[in-house]
Amino acid sequence: MSQSRILLVEDEEHLLEAIKLNLELEGYHVTTAMDGKKALRLIKEERFNLVLLDVMLPEIDGFQVAETIRLQNYDVPILFLTAKNTSEDRVMGLKKGADDYLTKPFNLEELILRVGILVKRSLRNTDEGKSLNTYKIGGKEINFTSFELISEDGSVTMLTKKEVMLLKLLIERKGEVVSREQILETVWNYDVFPSTRTIDNFILSFRKYFEPNPKEPRYFHSVRGVGYKFTD
C-alpha cells in the first residue's frame, strides 16, 4: 500500500488536511491540489492510483478536470467528493468518467474503505487499457495513443496532441453539439484563448482528413453560434 499514490483535489483547506492525514495514516502517499488547473498539471507530471476530486473548485471545476483526465487517456480511478446530492449530479459525474461518488459530509471510515477498493482496482488494471484507444471514421483509423491517422492504404499521418484531444472529445460526444466554451476548457485548459476561427481551422483539417467531400461534411459539423458536432 505504501506504493499507492493518491491525488487529493479539495479547496477547503481544513478538509484537505484532515483527509490527507487519515490517508497517510493508512499508508498512502498523498499529493494535494486546491484548484483544477494545478490538478491537471500534476496528473501530467506524476502517476497516481486514485484521484479524490471535489466538484466545486476554483478555475476549472471537478467535472471538467475528470473529463480532461479521461480525454488525455489516463485510466486512473476518480472518486468525486461533493456537497451536491442530486441524482443529476451523480449521473453527470459518472458521465464525466467518475468511478465513485461520495457526498459531503461523509464518514472518514467509509471514504477509506472506498479508496481501498478503487486503489486495488487500479493496481489490478495497471496494464489493461480501458479508455478509447482507436476509432475508425470512413475507413481511416485514429490511434489516440500514438497520435497516428492510418489510411486504408497503410499510409500514416501524424496528428498533433490538440487534434487528438479535440477528435476524442467530439467522438465521445457523438451526436451532441459541443460548445466552444467546452472545447476551450477541455482541450486548451484555459492556457490560451483560441478564437472561433482557430477551432474552425481544426474542423476544416478534420474534414480534409475524413470527408469524401469536405464542402458537404458528413462527419464534422459547425453549428453556427452554438458549437461543433461529430456524427457517424
Side-chain angles (χ1 to χ4, degrees):
M1 187 177 290
S2 60
Q3 298 302 308
S4 300
R5 300 171 58 82
I6 295 173
L7 175 60
L8 171 59
V9 191
E10 168 61 62
D11 67 335
E12 294 177 42
E13 191 169 356
H14 294 300
L15 183 57
L16 179 108
E17 291 301 329
I19 296 172
K20 182 175 187 287
L21 175 62
N22 279 272
L23 290 173
E24 286 176 341
L25 288 171
E26 293 294 315
Y28 297 107
H29 182 282
V30 183
T31 302
T32 62
M34 296 184 72
D35 62 73
K37 200 165 187 176
K38 183 179 178 184
L40 288 173
R41 180 171 58 76
L42 287 167
I43 280 284
K44 288 178 182 177
E45 293 173 355
E46 301 179 39
R47 186 167 183 85
F48 298 99
N49 300 105
L50 175 66
V51 178
L52 286 176
L53 186 57
D54 186 25
V55 171
M56 304 299 288
L57 291 169
E59 298 206 41
I60 307 174
D61 70 24
F63 289 145
Q64 195 59 54
V65 171
E67 185 168 42
T68 303
I69 288 171
R70 292 294 178 244
L71 283 165
Q72 292 178 338
N73 276 330
Y74 297 116
D75 290 331
V76 58
I78 297 171
L79 170 57
F80 270 125
L81 306 175
T82 179
K84 297 183 175 183
N85 192 26
T86 66
S87 59
E88 290 84 358
D89 288 316
R90 290 174 190 268
V91 169
M92 176 65 78
L94 294 169
K95 277 186 175 179
K96 298 296 185 185
D99 296 87
D100 204 350
Y101 202 104
L102 198 55
T103 306
K104 299 176 184 178
F106 48 79
N107 182 295
L108 274 169
E109 201 172 325
E110 182 182 2
L111 172 65
I112 288 165
L113 182 66
R114 293 192 187 206
V115 164
I117 291 168
L118 289 172
V119 166
K120 280 180 186 174
R121 186 191 303 173
S122 168
L123 294 172
R124 193 169 61 241
N125 294 338
T126 299
D127 298 321
E128 296 176 15
K130 297 185 295 177
S131 61
L132 179 66
N133 290 320
T134 61
Y135 193 87
K136 278 194 173 182
I137 302 174
K140 292 185 177 180
E141 182 175 272
I142 309 158
N143 187 312
F144 294 106
T145 305
S146 65
F147 295 3
E148 293 175 325
L149 175 62
I150 304 163
S151 299
E152 288 179 292
D153 63 4
S155 60
V156 175
T157 302
M158 293 304 298
L159 302 171
T160 67
K161 184 175 182 180
K162 289 282 190 289
E163 284 178 325
V164 167
M165 290 180 71
L166 182 51
L167 279 168
K168 195 169 190 189
L169 175 61
L170 293 171
I171 289 166
E172 290 188 340
R173 298 290 193 84
K174 183 167 64 175
E176 298 177 28
V177 178
V178 183
S179 71
R180 178 178 173 275
E181 289 73 22
Q182 186 85 51
I183 291 170
L184 172 65
E185 292 171 2
T186 305
V187 178
W188 272 268
N189 290 341
Y190 289 110
D191 290 338
V192 294
F193 290 82
S195 66
T196 301
R197 183 167 294 279
T198 303
I199 302 173
D200 278 338
N201 286 336
F202 274 77
I203 300 299
L204 288 172
S205 294
F206 296 164
R207 287 174 183 162
K208 288 177 185 174
Y209 293 150
F210 300 105
E211 304 283 2
N213 181 358
K215 292 183 178 179
E216 295 181 10
R218 173 182 164 188
Y219 304 113
F220 294 95
H221 310 272
S222 299
V223 183
R224 186 177 292 277
V226 185
Y228 307 84
K229 181 171 72 170
F230 169 73
T231 56
D232 196 352

